[in-house]
Amino acid sequence: MENQIVLEFKHVNKTYQSGVKGLEDINFKVNRGEFVAVVGLSGAGKSTMLNSINKMIDITDGEVLVDGVDISKLKGKALRQMRRKIGMIFQNFNLVERTTVQKNVLAGRSGYYPTWKTMLGLYSKADKQKAVEELDKVNMVKKLYRRADELSGGQKQRVAIARTLMQDPTLVLADEPVASLDPKTSKGVMDDLYHLKKYENITVLVNIHSVELALQYADRIIGLRDGKLVYNKPIAEANEADLKQIYENGVEQ
Amino acid sequence: MNVPKQDFVHRFHIIGISIAVIMLVLIYFSSLVTGVDFDTFMTNIDQFGVILGQMKDPDWSYLAKMKDPLLQTVQMAILGTTFGTALAIPFSIFAARNIVKNRIGRGIIRIILSLIRTLPNLLLAALFVAIFGIGPMTGVITLALFSFGMVSKLFYEVIETIDMGPVRAIRATGASMAQTVRIAVMPQVAGQFMSDFLYTLEINVRSSTVLGYLGAGGIGLYLQQTLDQYDYPRTAVIIISIFVVVLVIDTISNYLRKRLQ
């Protein structure tokens, strides 16, 4: 299990229809159980890169290997089964606001259900139990039957993490998960993400603006600038001056 | 002091006056072509008073006979609206720009929907009386198709305003598009759908009262009979009872729609 590669980018390019280069020849590997922070300016391609890992965005060429399978070539059912293994956390939480916390969390399991059961809103007893357990991990069981729009930002993000855990993911992608939260709440959510790695051996990739948080939580830091990978170092070798440079050089241009 | 001068066109309101003159000319010629004659209107206006005079003593004994047709009218409206709305849900999903990316498929569905909307419900009723014969069944089918056309447009416009964040999130968990619509779209639109349904029901209760005129069931049949027999005291009872029923349905519907917001 040691150093098993969960994610690998091979010569990945993304050119948008407008002709703008989103990603340019990206290459890197991520091992099982690693916590990777992706840093860079807005528009550097962090979000594009993250969204290409579960094929929410199509890449132009190259390979994105998840557990050795090139997800960029998958379609239909095979793609959906692959997506079950990849959780995703968003800056805006993206909960279904007008429904309960329980239903939001159970929705994370829908990839495992046939369509007709979802239509009728049927979930197994085991999964209802699992929803409670996953909510307990983020300390949100008490809100089980509350509507999602009654929760604070930090609470919503925790529910989103529980929803992701319902998928039994091997990899979790978090796109600016704390950018809309205050510093104290941010720390709580980052701790929850860190626990995914620590207790569940889930690989975590986090796009993050805060260099401070990146240094505090990550095992490795990847830097993007103008769609190119400009930095890729384990935390032991990374220092704040390097990271500052990723941002500052971008500003000069 | 140097006051800026307005130009000629603005100073004398040339545009506004021109539009008013053109409108008057157009109205005059329209009335010539269609044969609308103000004199006829004035000479016949006293008939209004005559009929109203005959209506002032409604034949209240007739009221008991009105209970069943009135109930039937409301039942037709409820059934028609329900069937039409149920059918509109899948169609509106396929017509929504943010759900169906395939332009051609969406375009075909939208064309079908707008074709249905061009048909007024009286025309539909006349058509269906010819096909299905006289009776409340025809009224239900007419109202169902009419509501379907109207509600599906209201619905897809609602769907196009939803927050797409949850849709992306559920899609990313590995859910199919149908599952995603059920989980992430439906809760966002259900309240507005319900409100649109009630609004359509109000319209249908009103229009189902005249559908009977064409033989499509309900109270309209009695309205036609009494008018044909110049039995105005009974017509008065029918009109008053329709008025009360529509008022009650509108009040209930308005109350529910307020609560939904």
Side-chain angles (χ1 to χ4, degrees):
Chain A
M1 287 295 274
E2 280 297 295
N3 280 355
Q4 191 189 347
I5 294 165
V6 172
L7 174 68
E8 183 172 5
F9 269 59
K10 280 186 179 170
H11 305 292
V12 172
N13 286 286
K14 168 70 184 176
T15 310
Y16 283 100
Q17 278 183 332
S18 58
V20 175
K21 284 227 156 214
L23 298 173
E24 235 179 305
D25 196 31
I26 304 283
N27 293 283
F28 67 90
K29 291 174 190 172
V30 176
N31 296 322
R32 184 171 302 280
E34 261 193 305
F35 194 110
V36 179
V38 182
V39 299
L41 286 167
S42 299
K46 305 195 298 287
S47 203
T48 306
M49 191 177 90
L50 215 65
N51 277 285
S52 64
I53 297 170
N54 56 2
K55 213 190 174 200
M56 293 302 281
I57 288 179
D58 288 321
I59 56 169
T60 312
D61 54 72
E63 288 175 31
V64 178
L65 302 172
V66 179
D67 273 342
V69 178
D70 183 6
I71 192 169
S72 70
K73 307 287 187 295
L74 295 183
K75 275 184 188 151
K77 192 163 188 185
L79 173 63
R80 293 203 301 273
Q81 285 185 345
M82 195 61 157
R83 277 181 180 159
R84 296 197 307 213
K85 291 204 277 185
I86 308 168
M88 197 164 202
I89 302 290
F90 303 82
Q91 179 179 345
N92 302 322
F93 329 123
N94 288 348
L95 296 182
V96 183
E97 300 270 327
R98 288 173 169 222
T99 191
T100 61
V101 166
Q102 183 194 34
K103 286 199 175 128
N104 267 289
V105 175
L106 283 168
R109 199 72 186 162
S110 46
Y112 293 85
Y113 280 84
T115 298
W116 71 269
K117 277 200 174 172
T118 305
M119 290 298 146
L120 298 175
L122 299 175
Y123 292 98
S124 71
K125 221 170 196 176
D127 280 339
K128 282 183 185 158
Q129 182 57 36
K130 183 173 166 62
V132 172
E133 284 161 17
E134 305 304 1
L135 275 169
D136 191 39
K137 286 177 192 165
V138 290
N139 205 13
M140 288 291 294
V141 180
K142 58 187 181 298
K143 301 285 184 189
L144 187 64
Y145 297 118
R146 304 311 290 267
R147 252 170 69 137
D149 52 11
E150 294 172 18
L151 306 180
S152 69
Q155 292 174 326
K156 284 180 188 174
Q157 199 59 296
R158 295 216 179 109
V159 172
I161 291 172
R163 173 172 71 186
T164 288
L165 282 170
M166 283 303 280
Q167 291 174 241
D168 287 330
T170 52
L171 174 65
V172 165
L173 314 169
D175 197 359
E176 302 287 358
V178 296
S180 326
L181 302 174
D182 63 71
K184 188 162 170 276
T185 316
S186 295
K187 194 182 172 304
V189 168
M190 287 304 286
D191 283 342
D192 285 332
L193 286 174
Y194 187 75
H195 290 160
L196 300 185
K197 163 210 146 82
K198 197 174 173 191
Y199 300 121
E200 321 257 337
N201 201 30
I202 295 171
T203 310
V204 182
L205 243 81
V206 186
N207 281 352
I208 198 158
H209 264 307
S210 160
V211 168
E212 196 187 328
L213 287 174
L215 286 168
Q216 196 180 340
Y217 287 94
D219 300 319
R220 193 141 60 94
I221 296 193
I222 285 178
L224 291 182
R225 191 196 304 145
D226 296 331
K228 295 187 199 80
L229 193 137
V230 292
Y231 195 84
N232 182 2
K233 278 187 186 170
I235 197 73
E237 298 169 29
N239 60 60
E240 208 158 334
D242 281 355
L243 296 174
K244 285 269 156 64
Q245 221 181 351
I246 296 174
Y247 286 94
E248 277 161 16
N249 282 3
V251 174
E252 275 172 23
Q253 289 177 342
Chain B
M1 203 163 55
N2 219 343
V3 180
K5 277 211 172 78
Q6 260 192 322
D7 60 24
F8 177 78
V9 170
H10 284 101
R11 190 143 41 134
F12 296 102
H13 306 288
I14 298 295
I15 295 174
I17 291 169
S18 307
I19 290 175
V21 169
I22 292 171
M23 291 292 283
L24 284 173
V25 170
L26 283 176
I27 289 169
Y28 177 71
F29 279 106
S30 307
S31 69
L32 277 192
V33 172
T34 53
V36 172
D37 182 359
F38 201 64
D39 284 344
T40 320
F41 180 74
M42 286 318 279
T43 48
N44 286 356
I45 192 107
D46 57 326
Q47 282 299 310
F48 192 69
V50 173
I51 292 179
L52 215 59
Q54 292 181 24
M55 282 190 183
K56 78 176 189 306
D57 295 313
D59 177 6
W60 291 115
S61 64
Y62 199 53
L63 194 61
K65 264 184 96 179
M66 286 302 92
K67 203 191 91 201
D68 286 344
L70 265 177
L71 206 60
Q72 193 184 54
T73 302
V74 175
Q75 286 165 338
M76 273 163 50
I78 291 173
L79 279 175
T81 315
T82 308
F83 289 142
T85 307
L87 194 63
I89 292 173
F91 274 84
S92 60
I93 290 163
F94 287 117
R97 194 175 297 132
N98 50 350
I99 306 294
V100 174
K101 301 289 176 212
N102 181 340
R103 262 194 183 168
I104 299 165
R106 206 175 62 221
I108 291 170
I109 288 187
R110 284 196 178 201
I111 288 170
I112 295 172
L113 294 179
S114 31
L115 282 179
I116 292 171
R117 272 199 310 280
T118 58
L119 302 172
N121 51 10
L122 286 177
L123 187 82
L124 288 174
L127 190 71
F128 288 135
V129 165
I131 299 172
F132 301 105
I134 288 173
M137 225 278 277
T138 304
V140 171
I141 295 171
T142 303
L143 292 173
L145 195 66
F146 174 75
S147 346
F148 168 70
M150 179 172 138
V151 170
S152 44
K153 184 179 169 71
L154 292 173
F155 278 11
Y156 75 66
E157 282 175 354
V158 173
I159 295 174
E160 285 178 352
T161 63
I162 62 164
D163 174 13
M164 288 301 281
V167 174
R168 288 200 299 135
I170 299 303
R171 207 69 182 120
T173 66
S176 68
M177 204 59 219
Q179 288 176 312
T180 307
V181 167
R182 170 69 179 83
I183 294 169
V185 179
M186 281 305 153
Q188 291 194 62
V189 297
Q192 190 58 46
F193 274 21
M194 198 59 210
S195 172
D196 288 344
F197 166 81
L198 289 168
Y199 177 63
T200 312
L201 181 67
E202 283 177 40
I203 292 175
N204 282 346
V205 168
R206 258 169 276 160
S207 56
S208 67
T209 57
V210 292
L211 285 181
Y213 235 94
L214 294 156
I219 195 146
L221 180 69
Y222 295 82
L223 194 63
Q224 187 197 22
Q225 280 171 1
T226 55
L227 278 174
D228 282 354
Q229 295 160 2
Y230 305 107
D231 192 350
Y232 295 119
R234 287 190 167 180
T235 309
V237 172
I238 297 175
I239 290 174
I240 291 168
S241 55
I242 289 175
F243 175 76
V244 170
V245 168
V246 169
L247 200 69
V248 168
I249 298 276
D250 279 14
T251 309
I252 296 171
S253 164
N254 276 320
Y255 170 76
L256 289 175
R257 280 164 58 202
K258 275 221 184 79
R259 292 292 304 270
L260 279 167
Q261 276 154 16

